Amino acid sequence: MDGIKYPVVTDKSLKLVSKKQYTFNVESGSTRTEIKSWVELFFGVKVIAMNSHRLPGKRRRMGHTMHYRRMIITLQPGYSIPSLRNLRI
């Protein structure tokens, strides 16, 4: 799981869980097919759609932080990620 950094837990991402959509921050150099195969292998689910957008790094006094991508992954009906399903608002 080199490409997936961590799941995103915000109000919007928790509302998307009811629609079988899960949000993760991933490394910016990872491709969509890599992320899809990692999610399917690690969580044992089937992915039907993936949306992504790139978040800019924050400017610092001495340089800037790393850039990363945010992926919204939609699962097939009947599949869910158990550890994230239990999170509710």
Side-chain angles (χ1 to χ4, degrees), residues 21-36:
Q21 294 180 336
Y22 298 91
T23 308
F24 295 96
N25 283 343
V26 298
E27 292 180 5
S28 61
S30 302
T31 63
R32 295 170 77 100
T33 54
E34 289 175 345
I35 299 299
K36 181 179 178 180

Side-chain angles (χ1 to χ4, degrees), residues 7-59:
V8 177
V9 182
T10 61
D11 289 338
K12 184 176 180 180
S13 67
L14 291 176
K15 289 177 186 175
L16 290 175
V17 170
S18 64
K19 298 178 183 178
K20 303 250 184 239
Q21 294 180 336
Y22 298 91
T23 308
F24 295 96
N25 283 343
V26 298
E27 292 180 5
S28 61
S30 302
T31 63
R32 295 170 77 100
T33 54
E34 289 175 345
I35 299 299
K36 181 179 178 180
S37 64
W38 286 331
V39 169
E40 288 179 346
L41 180 67
F42 187 72
F43 295 113
V45 296
K46 297 289 183 183
V47 176
I48 58 171
M50 296 177 65
N51 297 330
S52 69
H53 61 276
R54 187 167 178 226
L55 299 170
K58 295 182 179 179
R59 307 256 310 139

